[in-house]
């Protein structure tokens, strides 16, 4: 409630979402007015019907101009007043600012837990991270449904095709053993099934488990196909912005950062490929002797830090990608000049104005996968019972043990004068039972797989987009 009040008071004055768009570095191209196009085309507004017919304006027919007209678009810095008319601006501002608030809550909660070390308190930062993921998925779902409403284009077929492709890919990935992809899904599911069976036996119920392994993996595959379909167009758009940003960048350091930013999902994917990363980093082949460079806990912590640093890099490169997108207006005009024929002034104005109008849609496609990667990583750390400390001596928590409630909770006899305490004890016992079923081992496997999958989908779609914009469109 405190953070909700802070959001309500601060966001109208200080907003990261508005600063990213209106910080002064982004410039958008203004569409020319009809009068300016008429002057460039050498036409004047006729007073009589005969003059209007001579100038190419017949009754209600719009004015047309040659496509090879000498047109140069004027630029203007993006201001807060300009963002009011942008499509999806409220959704963009809410997602970014709420993510900032949730991240602040997470940092404060982590500092509190590292100092006080409470044992029976609920970690409220988990709820905030789950809300952020829910908002990000909702935004991506809304954008995907927008593509399905388009009748003429092939966006609907692209989403369906990639959805089936990622379903097959997820089924193949879930078959791979832990020797190659070390998510921990097998051990986590086994621990979950055993804990659930013990819980049901205590309740006097006979069961072979809450769900079979095949059903569990099938459910994961369906979820993965939906995530892949949602991330299809964000990945395709990222590839185009990456190419345009590289052409726009003049400094070597900027080009290097752009390449690292594009390959960041691949780095995240390789962090869970055991033969490539973990085996070589923990036990590098140094002659006849094998000297481990770090422990397994240190490697897990380092993996979390690498993902967070790559997410920070992607946020830092956001303006470069958005400016590359805004330059599509001038790029479209330059491409039009190479064509023969005529174009109506209304179509030309729409072609230029459409780029800026959908700026927040592109920003959401850039930010939403970043938000999902960041907060699945934060959930992985918290629910997986990892540590932020790089050195083993700082990892004081036992990672996968079940934290049972003290015996006083079970042995405490309810007082005769209050039903409220009885209810509190019952709720505490129920939460303790759930905590014994949903163990850190299960969350490690599940969240590791989801984090890896988001990165894998984003890299797969962006790689396909890079191939499409680099070769197929040219051909």
């Amino acid at each position: 409630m405190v953070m909700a009040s802070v959001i309500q008071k601060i966001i109208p004055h200080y907003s990261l979402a508005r600063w990213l768009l209106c910080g002064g570095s982004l410039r958008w191209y203004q569409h020319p007015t009809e009068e300016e196009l008429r002057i460039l085309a050498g036409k004047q507004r006729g007073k009589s019907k005969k003059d209007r017919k001579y100038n190419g304006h017949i009754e209600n027919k719009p004015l047309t101009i040659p496509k090879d007209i000498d047109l140069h678009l004027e630029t203007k810095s993006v201001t807060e007043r300009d963002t009011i008319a942008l499509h999806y601006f409220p959704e963009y501002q809410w997602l970014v600012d709420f993510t900032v608030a949730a991240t602040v809550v997470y940092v404060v909660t982590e500092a509190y837990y590292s100092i006080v070390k409470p044992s029976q308190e609920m970690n409220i930062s988990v709820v905030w991270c789950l809300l952020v993921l829910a908002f990000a998925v909702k935004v991506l779902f809304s954008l995907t449904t927008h593509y399905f409403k388009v009748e003429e284009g092939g966006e609907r077929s692209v989403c369906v095709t990639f959805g089936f492709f990622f379903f097959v890919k997820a089924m193949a990935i879930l078959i791979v053993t832990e020797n190659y992809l070390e998510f921990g899904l097998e051990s986590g599911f086994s621990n979950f099934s055993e804990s659930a069976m013990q819980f049901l036996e205590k309740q006097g119920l006979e069961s072979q488990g809450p769900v079979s392994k095949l059903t569990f993996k099938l459910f994961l595959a369906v979820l993965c196909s939906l995530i892949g379909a949602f991330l299809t167009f964000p990945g395709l758009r990222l590839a185009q912005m990456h190419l345009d940003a590289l052409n726009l960048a003049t400094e070597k350091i900027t080009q290097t950062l752009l390449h690292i930013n594009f390959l960041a999902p691949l780095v995240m994917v390789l962090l869970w490929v055991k033969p490539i990363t973990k085996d070589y980093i923990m036990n590098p082949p140094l002659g006849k002797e094998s000297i481990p460079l770090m422990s397994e806990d240190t490697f897990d912590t380092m993996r979390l830090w690498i993902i967070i640093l790559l997410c920070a890099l992607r946020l830092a490169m956001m303006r470069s990608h958005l400016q590359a997108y805004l330059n599509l207006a001038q790029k479209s005009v330059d491409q039009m000049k190479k064509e023969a024929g005529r174009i109506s002034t209304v179509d030309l104005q729409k072609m230029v104005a459409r780029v800026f109008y959908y700026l927040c849609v592109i920003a959401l496609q850039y930010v939403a996968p970043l938000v999902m990667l960041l907060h699945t990583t934060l959930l992985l750390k918290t629910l997986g019972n990892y540590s932020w400390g790089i050195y083993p001596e700082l990892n004081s928590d036992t990672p996968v043990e079940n934290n049972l409630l003290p015996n006083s909770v079970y042995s405490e006899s309810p007082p005769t004068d209050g039903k409220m305490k009885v209810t509190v004890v019952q709720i505490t016992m129920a939460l303790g039972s759930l905590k014994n079923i949903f163990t850190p081992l299960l969350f490690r496997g599940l969240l590791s797989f989801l984090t890896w999958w988001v990165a894998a989908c984003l890299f797969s779609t962006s790689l396909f987009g890079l191939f499409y914009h680099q070769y197929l469109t040219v051909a």
Side-chain angles (χ1 to χ4, degrees):
M1 294 301 294
V2 174
M3 183 52 67
S5 301
V6 170
I7 294 176
Q8 185 180 8
K9 298 295 183 182
I10 290 183
I11 284 181
H13 306 284
Y14 303 99
S15 171
L16 178 63
R18 287 202 306 268
W19 180 78
L20 288 173
L21 294 183
C22 311
S25 61
L26 290 181
R27 302 188 67 85
W28 62 286
Y29 290 85
Q30 297 177 288
H31 67 82
T33 62
E34 185 174 345
E35 189 65 27
E36 293 174 348
L37 293 174
R38 181 180 284 108
I39 294 175
L40 288 174
K43 299 180 179 181
Q44 297 180 355
R45 180 183 294 273
K47 297 181 180 179
S48 64
K49 182 181 294 187
K50 183 178 179 180
D51 294 336
R52 292 197 299 269
K53 182 177 180 180
Y54 176 76
N55 290 329
H57 188 85
I58 303 175
E59 296 180 354
N60 294 328
K61 185 178 180 181
L63 175 66
T64 60
I65 60 174
K67 289 187 176 181
D68 59 350
I69 190 173
D70 188 17
L71 176 62
H72 299 282
L73 301 178
E74 296 182 358
T75 61
K76 178 186 176 183
S77 297
V78 180
T79 61
E80 294 184 11
R81 191 173 184 179
D82 298 328
T83 59
I84 297 176
L86 295 181
H87 199 37
Y88 277 90
F89 177 73
E91 290 85 351
Y92 160 75
Q93 184 178 13
W94 171 253
L95 178 62
V96 174
D97 292 337
F98 188 84
T99 302
V100 172
T103 307
V104 171
V105 171
Y106 184 88
V107 171
V108 173
T109 306
E110 286 295 305
Y112 169 76
Y113 269 71
S114 63
I115 297 174
V116 180
K117 293 181 174 58
S119 58
Q120 297 299 329
E121 294 185 12
M122 178 182 177
N123 196 330
I124 195 64
S125 63
V126 173
V127 179
W128 283 81
C129 291
L130 291 175
L131 287 175
V132 169
L133 292 176
F135 289 136
V137 172
K138 176 185 175 298
V139 166
L140 290 175
F141 173 76
S142 178
L143 294 177
T144 306
T145 54
H146 179 74
Y147 287 115
F148 270 80
K149 295 177 182 178
V150 179
E151 296 291 341
E152 299 177 357
E155 290 85 356
R156 183 187 308 175
S157 301
V158 173
C159 289
V160 173
T161 302
F162 271 92
F164 279 107
F165 165 73
F166 283 119
F167 177 77
V168 176
K169 181 179 178 179
M171 293 294 292
I173 293 297
L174 290 172
I175 298 175
V176 179
T177 63
E178 298 287 338
N179 294 328
Y180 298 98
L181 294 174
E182 49 150 4
F183 303 127
L185 273 176
E186 297 290 338
S187 57
F189 178 78
S190 300
N191 183 269
F192 166 71
S193 298
E194 293 176 1
S195 301
M197 289 176 61
Q198 293 177 3
F199 173 76
L200 293 175
E201 289 177 358
K202 290 181 180 179
Q203 303 300 322
L205 301 175
E206 294 183 1
S207 175
Q208 296 181 354
V211 66
S212 64
K213 183 181 294 186
L214 179 61
T215 305
F216 174 72
K217 290 189 175 182
L218 183 62
F219 172 76
L220 271 183
V222 173
L223 178 62
C224 290
S225 66
L226 292 176
I227 294 175
F230 293 161
L231 294 178
T232 297
F233 280 98
L236 297 177
R237 177 63 66 178
L238 177 63
Q240 184 180 12
M241 290 191 296
H242 172 69
L243 293 175
D244 294 338
L246 282 177
N247 296 329
L248 186 64
T250 56
E251 299 179 357
K252 291 292 184 181
I253 182 65
T254 305
Q255 295 177 353
T256 303
L257 291 177
L258 287 172
H259 285 300
I260 297 175
N261 179 60
F262 183 80
L263 295 175
L266 176 62
V267 176
M268 299 179 190
V269 168
L270 294 179
L271 288 175
W272 273 276
V273 181
K274 191 174 181 181
I276 297 179
T277 53
K278 191 172 184 178
D279 290 345
Y280 277 93
I281 293 177
M282 292 184 58
N283 298 303
L286 301 175
K288 297 182 180 180
E289 298 181 357
S290 179
I291 303 176
L293 297 180
M294 62 182 69
S295 63
E296 187 171 352
D297 292 338
T298 303
F299 177 80
D300 293 335
T301 302
M302 186 187 69
R303 181 162 50 194
L304 299 177
W305 278 113
I306 290 175
I307 297 175
I308 292 176
L309 291 177
L310 292 177
C311 289
L313 173 63
R314 175 147 296 196
L315 181 63
M317 304 305 296
M318 178 177 175
R319 283 185 176 177
S320 299
H321 289 79
L322 293 182
Q323 186 60 58
Y325 166 75
L326 291 174
N327 290 346
L328 287 179
Q330 184 63 51
K331 188 177 179 180
S332 300
V333 172
D334 295 338
Q335 182 65 30
M336 181 196 67
K337 292 179 182 180
K338 301 177 183 179
E339 301 174 358
R342 304 178 68 86
I343 185 173
S344 66
T345 56
V346 177
D347 292 338
L348 176 58
Q349 290 171 342
K350 287 182 179 179
M351 181 180 65
V352 176
R354 188 185 297 116
V355 175
F356 180 65
Y357 181 67
Y358 286 102
L359 175 62
C360 286
V361 175
I362 306 304
L364 279 174
Q365 290 179 338
Y366 187 90
V367 169
L370 165 65
V371 168
M372 293 177 65
L373 283 171
L374 175 62
H375 280 269
T376 50
T377 304
L378 297 181
L379 283 176
L380 175 60
K381 185 272 167 188
T382 302
L383 296 179
N385 208 3
Y386 286 117
S387 172
W388 292 118
I390 297 296
Y391 297 102
E393 58 266 21
L394 297 179
N395 298 340
S396 58
D397 298 333
T398 303
V400 297
E401 289 183 356
N402 298 341
N403 294 323
L404 299 177
L405 292 174
N407 294 328
S408 59
V409 175
Y410 296 94
S411 61
E412 181 182 357
S413 60
T416 57
D417 58 346
K419 295 182 179 180
M420 184 63 69
K421 292 185 178 180
V422 176
T423 305
V424 171
V425 171
Q426 291 176 350
I427 294 175
T428 305
M429 293 174 63
L431 291 177
S433 300
L434 291 177
K435 192 174 182 180
N436 293 334
I437 296 175
F438 297 97
T439 60
L441 196 62
L442 172 65
F443 288 121
R444 283 190 178 191
L446 194 59
L447 292 172
S448 294
F449 175 74
L450 290 179
T451 305
W452 183 90
W453 181 255
V454 172
C457 290
L458 193 59
F459 181 72
S460 299
T461 53
S462 59
L463 188 64
F464 176 81
L466 187 68
F467 174 77
Y468 175 79
H469 293 294
Q470 189 76 14
Y471 300 102
L472 297 184
T473 56
V474 176

